Amino acid sequence: MKITAIYAGTFDPVTRGHLDVMTRAGNMFDRVIVAVAASPGKKPLFNLSDRVALIERVLAGRENFDIQPFTGLLVEFAAAREASVIVRGLRSVTDFDYEVQIASFNRKMHPEIETAFVAAAAEYSFISSSLVREIASLGGDVSPFVDEPVERALQVQFG
Ligand code: COA
């Protein structure tokens, strides 16, 4: 039986930390849907189609990935796509309580969908998209944290 997993986030923008989790998910599951949340409440810097396009570029050539935008509840999106696993990256113990809470809500709504936690690589555990945006906005070097297409997109945004 082929297993489809979903890895969701706002990805504003996608970082090497996210890519690390995506790579691990791609090694574990037959197909990985990268679900890009509209997240209007976060007032993203990049619009939804740009965030999708950037992930398509950094994952170019990797065949078992499918990048899709979504709105609404993640667990409903997962069920509609017949994904049986939601992958979440854990960066540190501070992520844990919140993640377990979300996983419990999701299980209540769709008991057939399992949440799998993937430990992010230590060298990326401190990265967040908002810090990457802040460094870029202040003219700092983001190349250690994001792939080249993302670095260029940030340069365009911040001139
Ligand atoms: N490496 C680097 N950074 C990471 C990371 C990793 N492995 N994992 C997470 N992050 C960062 C993200 O970039 C983000 O940074 P930011 O806050 O600076 O932008 C932060 O950690 C939080 O990540 P995450 O918890 O994945 O939030 P998100 O906003 O990226 O995505 C959704 C959250 C979209 C998955 C979640 O809100 C969702 O599922 N929404 C739909 C509604 C829903 O179903 N809600 C649940 C109800 S029970």
Side-chain angles (χ1 to χ4, degrees), residues 7-22 35-39 42 70-76 86 88-91 95 98-99 101-106 109 118-121 124-133:
Y7 177 54
T10 306
F11 305 117
D12 183 38
V14 63
T15 68
R16 292 200 171 158
H18 297 130
L19 288 171
D20 173 57
V21 175
M22 288 173 196
V36 186
S39 297
K42 282 196 153 188
F70 85 104
T71 52
L73 281 174
L74 174 61
V75 75
E76 297 297 349
I86 292 173
R88 296 292 294 166
L90 282 185
R91 289 168 298 169
D95 284 345
Y98 175 70
E99 291 297 339
Q101 193 182 5
I102 300 285
S104 305
F105 270 111
N106 286 340
M109 292 184 273
V118 172
Y124 302 128
S125 61
F126 59 92
I127 304 179
S128 77
S129 297
S130 49
L131 280 178
V132 166
R133 293 195 303 275

Coordinates of all heavy atoms in Angstrom, one line a residue, residues 7-22 35-39 42 70-76 86 88-91 95 98-99 101-106 109 118-121 124-133, ligand 1:
Y7 N 2.9 17.5 4.5 CA 3.8 18.4 5.3 C 3.3 19.8 5.0 O 3.4 20.3 3.9 CB 5.2 18.3 5.0 CG 6.2 19.2 5.8 CD1 6.1 19.3 7.1 CD2 7.1 20.0 5.1 CE1 7.0 20.1 7.8 CE2 7.9 20.8 5.8 CZ 7.9 20.9 7.1 OH 8.7 21.7 7.8
A8 N 2.7 20.5 6.1 CA 2.1 21.8 5.8 C 2.8 22.9 6.6 O 3.5 22.7 7.6 CB 0.6 21.8 6.3
G9 N 2.7 24.1 6.0 CA 3.3 25.3 6.7 C 2.9 26.5 5.9 O 2.3 26.4 4.8
T10 N 3.3 27.6 6.4 CA 3.0 28.9 5.7 C 4.2 29.1 4.7 O 4.0 29.7 3.6 CB 2.9 30.1 6.7 OG1 1.9 29.7 7.6 CG2 2.5 31.4 6.0
F11 N 5.4 28.7 5.0 CA 6.5 28.7 4.2 C 6.7 30.2 3.6 O 6.8 30.4 2.4 CB 6.4 27.7 3.0 CG 6.2 26.3 3.5 CD1 5.0 25.6 3.2 CD2 7.2 25.6 4.3 CE1 4.8 24.3 3.6 CE2 6.9 24.3 4.8 CZ 5.8 23.7 4.4
D12 N 6.9 31.1 4.5 CA 7.0 32.5 4.1 C 8.3 33.1 4.5 O 8.4 34.0 5.4 CB 5.8 33.3 4.7 CG 5.8 34.8 4.3 OD1 6.1 35.0 3.1 OD2 5.5 35.6 5.1
P13 N 9.4 32.7 3.9 CA 9.6 31.7 2.8 C 10.1 30.4 3.4 O 10.4 30.2 4.5 CB 10.7 32.4 2.0 CG 11.6 33.0 3.0 CD 10.7 33.4 4.1
V14 N 10.1 29.4 2.4 CA 10.6 28.1 2.7 C 12.1 28.2 3.1 O 12.9 28.9 2.5 CB 10.4 27.1 1.6 CG1 11.2 27.5 0.3 CG2 10.8 25.7 1.9
T15 N 12.5 27.5 4.2 CA 13.9 27.6 4.7 C 14.6 26.2 4.5 O 13.9 25.2 4.2 CB 14.0 28.0 6.2 OG1 13.4 26.9 6.9 CG2 13.2 29.3 6.5
R16 N 15.9 26.2 4.8 CA 16.6 24.9 4.8 C 16.1 24.0 5.9 O 16.3 22.8 5.8 CB 18.1 25.2 4.9 CG 18.6 25.9 3.7 CD 20.1 25.7 3.5 NE 20.4 26.2 2.2 CZ 21.6 26.7 1.8 NH1 22.6 26.6 2.6 NH2 21.8 27.1 0.6
G17 N 15.6 24.6 7.0 CA 15.0 23.8 8.0 C 13.8 23.0 7.5 O 13.6 21.8 7.7
H18 N 12.9 23.7 6.8 CA 11.7 23.1 6.2 C 12.2 22.0 5.2 O 11.7 20.9 5.1 CB 10.9 24.1 5.4 CG 10.2 25.1 6.2 ND1 10.3 26.5 5.9 CD2 9.5 25.1 7.4 CE1 9.6 27.2 6.8 NE2 9.2 26.4 7.7
L19 N 13.2 22.4 4.4 CA 13.7 21.4 3.3 C 14.3 20.1 4.0 O 14.1 19.0 3.4 CB 14.8 22.1 2.5 CG 14.2 23.1 1.5 CD1 15.4 23.9 0.8 CD2 13.4 22.4 0.4
D20 N 14.9 20.3 5.1 CA 15.4 19.2 5.8 C 14.3 18.2 6.2 O 14.3 17.0 6.0 CB 16.2 19.7 7.1 CG 16.6 18.5 8.0 OD1 17.3 17.6 7.5 OD2 16.2 18.5 9.2
V21 N 13.2 18.8 6.8 CA 12.0 18.0 7.1 C 11.4 17.3 5.9 O 11.0 16.2 5.9 CB 11.0 18.8 7.9 CG1 9.7 18.0 8.2 CG2 11.6 19.3 9.3
M22 N 11.3 18.1 4.8 CA 10.7 17.6 3.6 C 11.5 16.4 3.1 O 10.9 15.4 2.6 CB 10.7 18.7 2.5 CG 9.6 19.8 2.7 SD 9.9 21.1 1.5 CE 8.9 22.4 2.2
A35 N 1.8 21.1 1.6 CA 0.6 21.9 1.7 C 0.9 23.3 2.1 O 1.4 23.5 3.3 CB -0.5 21.3 2.6
V36 N 0.7 24.3 1.3 CA 1.1 25.7 1.6 C -0.1 26.4 2.0 O -1.0 26.7 1.2 CB 1.8 26.3 0.3 CG1 2.3 27.7 0.7 CG2 2.9 25.5 -0.3
A37 N -0.1 26.8 3.3 CA -1.3 27.4 3.9 C -1.4 28.9 3.5 O -0.4 29.6 3.5 CB -1.2 27.4 5.4
A38 N -2.6 29.3 3.2 CA -2.8 30.8 2.8 C -2.4 31.6 4.0 O -1.8 32.6 3.9 CB -4.3 31.0 2.4
S39 N -2.8 31.2 5.2 CA -2.4 31.9 6.5 C -2.6 33.4 6.4 O -1.7 34.2 6.7 CB -1.0 31.6 6.9 OG -0.8 30.2 7.2
K42 N -1.4 35.7 9.2 CA 0.0 36.0 9.4 C 0.5 37.1 8.4 O 1.7 37.4 8.5 CB 0.9 34.7 9.1 CG 0.9 33.7 10.2 CD 2.0 32.7 10.0 CE 2.5 32.1 11.3 NZ 3.7 31.3 11.1
F70 N -3.4 25.5 0.2 CA -4.6 25.2 0.8 C -5.1 26.3 1.8 O -4.4 27.1 2.2 CB -4.5 23.8 1.6 CG -4.0 23.9 3.0 CD1 -4.8 23.8 4.1 CD2 -2.6 24.1 3.2 CE1 -4.3 23.8 5.4 CE2 -2.1 24.1 4.5 CZ -3.0 24.0 5.6
T71 N -6.5 26.2 2.0 CA -7.1 27.1 3.0 C -7.9 26.2 3.9 O -8.2 25.1 3.5 CB -8.0 28.2 2.3 OG1 -8.9 27.5 1.5 CG2 -7.2 29.2 1.6
G72 N -8.3 26.6 5.0 CA -9.2 25.8 5.9 C -8.3 24.9 6.8 O -7.2 25.1 7.0
L73 N -9.0 23.8 7.2 CA -8.4 22.9 8.2 C -7.5 22.0 7.5 O -7.8 21.3 6.5 CB -9.5 22.1 9.0 CG -10.2 22.8 10.1 CD1 -11.3 21.9 10.6 CD2 -9.2 23.2 11.2
L74 N -6.3 21.8 8.1 CA -5.3 20.9 7.5 C -5.8 19.5 7.4 O -5.6 18.8 6.5 CB -4.0 21.0 8.3 CG -2.9 20.0 7.9 CD1 -2.5 20.2 6.4 CD2 -1.7 20.2 8.8
V75 N -6.4 19.1 8.5 CA -6.8 17.6 8.6 C -7.9 17.3 7.6 O -7.9 16.2 7.0 CB -7.2 17.3 10.1 CG1 -8.6 17.8 10.4 CG2 -7.1 15.8 10.3
E76 N -8.7 18.3 7.3 CA -9.8 18.1 6.2 C -9.1 18.0 4.8 O -9.5 17.2 4.0 CB -10.8 19.2 6.2 CG -11.6 19.3 7.5 CD -12.5 18.0 7.8 OE1 -12.6 17.2 6.9 OE2 -12.9 17.9 8.9
I86 N 0.1 13.1 8.7 CA 0.5 14.5 8.7 C 1.9 14.6 9.4 O 2.1 14.1 10.5 CB -0.4 15.4 9.6 CG1 -1.8 15.5 8.9 CG2 0.1 16.8 9.8 CD1 -2.9 16.1 9.7
R88 N 5.0 16.6 11.0 CA 5.3 17.9 11.6 C 6.8 17.9 12.0 O 7.3 16.8 12.5 CB 4.5 18.1 12.9 CG 3.0 18.2 12.6 CD 2.6 19.5 11.8 NE 2.9 20.7 12.6 CZ 2.9 21.9 12.1 NH1 2.8 22.1 10.8 NH2 3.1 23.0 12.9
G89 N 7.5 19.0 11.8 CA 8.9 19.0 12.2 C 9.0 19.5 13.7 O 8.3 20.5 14.1
L90 N 9.8 18.9 14.5 CA 10.0 19.4 15.8 C 11.4 19.9 15.9 O 12.4 19.3 15.6 CB 10.0 18.2 16.8 CG 8.6 17.7 17.2 CD1 8.8 16.6 18.3 CD2 7.7 18.8 17.7
R91 N 11.5 21.2 16.3 CA 12.8 21.9 16.3 C 13.4 21.8 17.7 O 14.6 21.7 17.9 CB 12.7 23.3 15.9 CG 12.5 23.4 14.4 CD 12.1 24.8 14.0 NE 10.9 25.2 14.7 CZ 10.4 26.4 14.7 NH1 11.1 27.4 14.2 NH2 9.3 26.7 15.3
D95 N 8.5 23.3 20.9 CA 7.5 23.0 19.9 C 6.5 21.9 20.4 O 5.4 21.8 19.8 CB 8.2 22.5 18.6 CG 8.8 23.6 17.7 OD1 8.5 24.7 18.0 OD2 9.6 23.2 16.8
Y98 N 2.6 22.3 22.1 CA 1.7 22.8 21.1 C 1.4 21.7 20.0 O 0.2 21.5 19.6 CB 2.3 24.1 20.5 CG 1.5 24.7 19.3 CD1 0.2 25.3 19.6 CD2 1.9 24.6 18.0 CE1 -0.5 25.8 18.5 CE2 1.2 25.1 17.0 CZ 0.0 25.7 17.2 OH -0.7 26.2 16.2
E99 N 2.4 21.1 19.6 CA 2.3 20.1 18.5 C 1.4 18.9 18.9 O 0.6 18.4 18.2 CB 3.6 19.6 18.0 CG 4.4 20.6 17.3 CD 3.8 21.1 16.0 OE1 2.9 20.3 15.4 OE2 4.1 22.2 15.5
Q101 N -0.9 19.0 21.2 CA -2.3 19.6 21.3 C -2.9 19.5 19.9 O -4.1 19.0 19.7 CB -2.2 21.0 21.8 CG -3.5 21.5 22.2 CD -3.4 23.0 22.7 OE1 -2.4 23.6 22.6 NE2 -4.5 23.5 23.2
I102 N -2.2 20.1 18.9 CA -2.8 20.1 17.5 C -3.0 18.6 17.0 O -4.1 18.3 16.5 CB -1.8 20.8 16.5 CG1 -1.5 22.2 16.9 CG2 -2.3 20.7 15.1 CD1 -2.6 23.1 16.7
A103 N -2.1 17.7 17.3 CA -2.2 16.3 16.9 C -3.4 15.7 17.5 O -4.2 14.9 16.9 CB -1.0 15.6 17.2
S104 N -3.7 16.1 18.8 CA -4.9 15.5 19.5 C -6.2 16.0 18.9 O -7.1 15.2 18.7 CB -4.8 15.9 21.0 OG -3.6 15.4 21.5
F105 N -6.2 17.3 18.6 CA -7.4 17.9 17.9 C -7.6 17.1 16.5 O -8.7 16.8 16.2 CB -7.2 19.4 17.6 CG -7.7 20.2 18.7 CD1 -6.8 21.0 19.5 CD2 -9.1 20.3 19.0 CE1 -7.3 21.8 20.5 CE2 -9.5 21.1 20.0 CZ -8.6 21.9 20.8
N106 N -6.5 17.0 15.8 CA -6.7 16.4 14.5 C -7.1 15.0 14.6 O -7.9 14.5 13.7 CB -5.3 16.5 13.7 CG -5.1 18.0 13.2 OD1 -6.0 18.8 13.1 ND2 -3.8 18.3 12.9
M109 N -10.8 14.7 15.1 CA -11.6 15.0 13.9 C -11.4 13.9 12.8 O -12.4 13.6 12.2 CB -11.2 16.4 13.3 CG -11.6 17.5 14.2 SD -11.2 19.2 13.4 CE -9.5 19.4 13.9
V118 N 9.0 14.6 13.1 CA 10.3 14.5 12.5 C 11.2 15.5 13.2 O 10.9 16.7 13.3 CB 10.3 14.7 11.0 CG1 11.7 14.7 10.5 CG2 9.5 13.6 10.3
A119 N 12.3 15.0 13.8 CA 13.2 15.9 14.5 C 14.0 16.6 13.4 O 14.7 16.0 12.5 CB 14.2 15.1 15.4
A120 N 14.0 18.0 13.4 CA 14.7 18.8 12.5 C 16.2 18.6 12.8 O 16.6 18.5 14.0 CB 14.3 20.2 12.6
A121 N 17.1 18.7 11.8 CA 18.5 18.6 12.0 C 19.0 19.8 12.9 O 18.4 20.9 12.8 CB 19.3 18.7 10.7
Y124 N 19.6 23.4 11.9 CA 18.5 24.2 11.4 C 17.5 24.5 12.5 O 16.5 25.1 12.2 CB 17.8 23.5 10.2 CG 18.7 23.2 9.1 CD1 18.8 22.0 8.5 CD2 19.6 24.2 8.5 CE1 19.6 21.7 7.5 CE2 20.4 23.9 7.5 CZ 20.4 22.6 6.9 OH 21.3 22.4 5.9
S125 N 17.8 24.0 13.7 CA 16.7 24.1 14.7 C 16.4 25.5 15.2 O 15.4 25.7 15.8 CB 17.1 23.2 15.9 OG 18.3 23.6 16.5
F126 N 17.3 26.4 14.9 CA 17.0 27.8 15.4 C 16.4 28.7 14.3 O 16.1 29.8 14.5 CB 18.4 28.4 15.8 CG 19.4 28.5 14.7 CD1 19.5 29.6 13.9 CD2 20.2 27.4 14.4 CE1 20.3 29.6 12.8 CE2 21.1 27.4 13.3 CZ 21.1 28.6 12.5
I127 N 16.2 28.1 13.1 CA 15.7 29.0 12.0 C 14.2 29.1 12.1 O 13.5 28.2 12.4 CB 16.1 28.3 10.6 CG1 17.5 28.0 10.4 CG2 15.6 29.2 9.4 CD1 17.9 27.4 9.1
S128 N 13.8 30.3 11.8 CA 12.3 30.5 11.5 C 12.2 31.4 10.3 O 13.1 32.3 10.1 CB 11.6 31.0 12.7 OG 11.8 32.4 12.9
S129 N 11.0 31.3 9.7 CA 10.8 32.2 8.5 C 10.8 33.7 8.9 O 11.3 34.5 8.1 CB 9.5 31.8 7.8 OG 9.6 30.5 7.3
S130 N 10.3 34.0 10.0 CA 10.2 35.4 10.4 C 11.6 36.0 10.6 O 11.9 37.1 10.3 CB 9.3 35.7 11.5 OG 9.5 34.8 12.6
L131 N 12.5 35.2 11.2 CA 13.9 35.7 11.4 C 14.6 35.8 10.1 O 15.3 36.8 9.9 CB 14.7 34.7 12.3 CG 14.4 34.9 13.8 CD1 15.1 33.9 14.6 CD2 14.7 36.3 14.3
V132 N 14.3 34.9 9.2 CA 14.9 35.0 7.8 C 14.5 36.3 7.2 O 15.3 37.1 6.6 CB 14.6 33.8 7.0 CG1 14.9 34.0 5.5 CG2 15.4 32.6 7.5
R133 N 13.2 36.6 7.3 CA 12.6 37.8 6.7 C 13.3 39.1 7.3 O 13.6 40.0 6.6 CB 11.1 37.9 6.8 CG 10.3 36.9 6.1 CD 8.8 37.2 6.0 NE 8.2 37.4 7.3 CZ 7.7 36.4 8.0 NH1 7.8 35.2 7.6 NH2 7.1 36.7 9.2
Ligands
COA1 N1 12.8 24.5 10.3 C1 12.8 25.9 10.3 N2 11.7 26.6 10.6 C2 10.6 25.9 10.9 C3 10.6 24.5 10.9 C4 11.7 23.8 10.6 N3 11.8 22.5 10.6 N4 9.3 24.1 11.3 C5 8.6 25.2 11.6 N5 9.4 26.3 11.3 C6 9.0 27.7 11.5 C7 8.1 28.2 10.5 O1 8.9 28.8 9.4 C8 7.4 29.2 11.3 O2 8.1 30.4 11.4 P1 7.5 31.8 11.6 O3 6.5 31.8 12.7 O4 8.6 32.7 11.9 O5 6.8 32.1 10.2 C9 7.2 28.7 12.7 O6 8.3 27.8 12.7 C10 6.0 28.0 13.0 O7 5.8 26.9 12.1 P2 4.5 26.1 11.9 O8 4.0 25.7 13.3 O9 4.7 25.1 10.9 O10 3.5 27.2 11.5 P3 3.2 27.7 10.0 O11 2.5 29.0 10.2 O12 4.4 27.6 9.2 O13 2.1 26.6 9.5 C11 0.0 25.5 9.7 C12 1.1 26.3 10.4 C13 -0.4 26.1 8.4 C14 0.5 24.1 9.4 C15 -1.1 25.4 10.7 O14 -1.4 26.7 11.1 C16 -2.3 24.8 10.0 O15 -2.4 23.6 9.8 N6 -3.3 25.7 9.7 C17 -4.6 25.3 9.1 C18 -5.7 25.4 10.2 C19 -5.6 24.2 11.1 O16 -5.8 23.1 10.6 N7 -5.4 24.5 12.3 C20 -5.2 23.4 13.3 C21 -6.5 23.4 14.1 S1 -6.4 22.0 15.3

